[in-house]
Amino acid sequence: MKLLRYGPVGQEKPGLRHDDGTIRDLTEIVPDIAGPMLGEAGLAALRALDPDSLPVVPGEPRIGACVGAVGKFICVGLNYADHARETGKAPPEEPILFMKATSAISGPFDDVEIPRGSTKADWEVELGIVIGTRAKYVAEADALAHVAGYCLVNDLSERAFQSERGGQWTKGKSHDTFGPIGPWLVTRDEIADPQDLPIWLEVDGIRRQNGSTRTMIFDVAKLVSYISQFMTLQPGDIIATGTPPGVGLGHKPPIFLKPGQTMRVGIDGLGVQIQRTIEARA
């Protein structure tokens, strides 16, 4: 299934993307694409529905973030061997973890703000893991059973804030609109192998990132198991699993975002995002 949320910011409703391309309304079935309904029982109930019996959502509504009420937005740094090489850093021996503020979450086609004082705004296409059931001290062999599905993430960053302003990476990762997710949550059963997905990003029509999840250092199962040793993962938590090479910082000379540009972001099977960059709003 491809689950989504549509409507104005803060008023999103649950929906399902039918195979015919229409959005089908789920508001009479579930309150939101969030929390406990992301567990096996909730997803099984949705899977049992006949999509043709659901109301068609008319027009072309705004598509919001594909998961609501996200509790934790966890990111993994330097998780692609080829990306680690382009940064000049050794591949990590254990996953590098940091948090992105949930207030950064936005829709897949919403404008992206370039922060005030920004000099090094950057892009990062990533595979997102959506947790479906509580995970604490989970064995690697059991980890995927706790995954509801996957989504596309653009883990935007301000590199100067991230690396030149002291402290942790979070301040460079958490500006409003720096976490577009979606357009939809694709349930785990529809992704045969999350470690074999082409992943790419374009800026103004130029392909800047072109990779595959095959080059991830720590795979999805490893990440879910590893993170669950340090914190309990709850339904609706999102894990952004790292980015392949081609980020702006990795180019020689580096290339950074400015207002007035357009990004297209994609992972095979998970859809495409499109964002226009604008100056930050108050």
Side-chain angles (χ1 to χ4, degrees):
M1 290 183 296
K2 294 180 175 66
L3 303 174
L4 55 84
R5 300 167 71 247
Y6 69 94
V9 176
Q11 303 175 45
E12 292 90 350
K13 298 178 180 180
L16 179 149
R17 185 180 186 274
H18 196 352
D19 290 340
D20 65 9
T22 60
I23 297 174
R24 301 301 176 112
D25 182 52
L26 290 174
T27 53
E28 297 299 317
I29 311 298
V30 292
D32 200 358
I33 308 301
M37 66 77 46
L38 293 170
E40 292 297 333
L43 294 179
L46 293 182
R47 203 172 283 116
L49 297 171
D50 176 7
D52 290 321
S53 69
L54 299 170
V56 176
V57 176
E60 297 184 3
R62 170 187 172 270
I63 304 299
C66 60
V67 181
V70 175
K72 293 192 287 297
F73 199 164
I74 306 159
C75 299
V76 183
L78 297 177
N79 193 34
Y80 281 68
D82 36 10
H83 172 54
R85 284 195 297 271
E86 79 171 343
T87 65
K89 297 179 181 178
E93 295 183 4
E94 294 189 41
I96 297 170
L97 305 181
F98 61 94
M99 307 295 281
K100 194 177 187 87
T102 56
S103 56
I105 292 173
S106 60
F109 307 110
D110 292 346
D111 291 340
V112 164
E113 296 184 10
I114 303 301
R116 293 178 183 177
S118 170
T119 57
K120 298 180 180 180
D122 206 346
W123 55 82
E124 293 189 24
V125 58
E126 307 201 5
L127 172 67
I129 305 168
V130 181
I131 298 298
T133 57
R134 180 180 181 273
K136 183 176 183 179
Y137 296 122
V138 171
E140 198 169 327
D142 302 323
L144 292 184
H146 295 269
V147 174
Y150 304 96
C151 67
L152 183 55
V153 176
N154 190 355
D155 175 25
L156 288 133
S157 312
E158 211 301 332
R159 303 299 187 186
F161 296 177
Q162 176 183 348
S163 302
E164 301 169 20
R165 298 288 297 273
Q168 303 296 320
W169 290 1
T170 301
K171 68 175 70 172
K173 297 282 188 172
S174 295
H175 192 272
D176 293 352
T177 74
F178 266 27
I181 62 172
W184 39 73
L185 159 62
V186 180
T187 51
R188 189 178 77 244
D189 57 295
E190 290 203 5
I191 302 298
D193 183 1
Q195 305 309 145
D196 190 22
L197 300 175
I199 179 171
W200 54 269
L201 182 146
E202 297 173 354
V203 181
D204 293 337
I206 300 172
R207 185 66 59 99
R208 294 298 187 185
Q209 291 186 271
N210 198 27
S212 170
T213 57
R214 288 193 303 270
T215 66
M216 285 171 60
I217 298 168
F218 306 107
D219 64 17
V220 168
K222 174 66 176 181
L223 291 174
V224 172
S225 173
Y226 181 86
I227 295 169
S228 78
Q229 311 305 309
F230 300 95
M231 65 191 82
T232 301
L233 296 169
Q234 303 286 1
D237 286 350
I238 294 174
I239 303 169
T241 58
T243 198
V247 298
L249 182 66
H251 287 271
K252 300 187 186 307
I255 305 167
F256 297 115
L257 293 166
K258 57 185 183 296
Q261 296 186 283
T262 299
M263 291 175 284
R264 291 186 74 247
V265 188
I267 298 178
D268 281 16
L270 299 183
V272 173
Q273 300 181 352
I274 300 174
Q275 294 117 23
R276 181 175 60 104
T277 56
I278 63 171
E279 294 183 357
R281 296 178 285 244

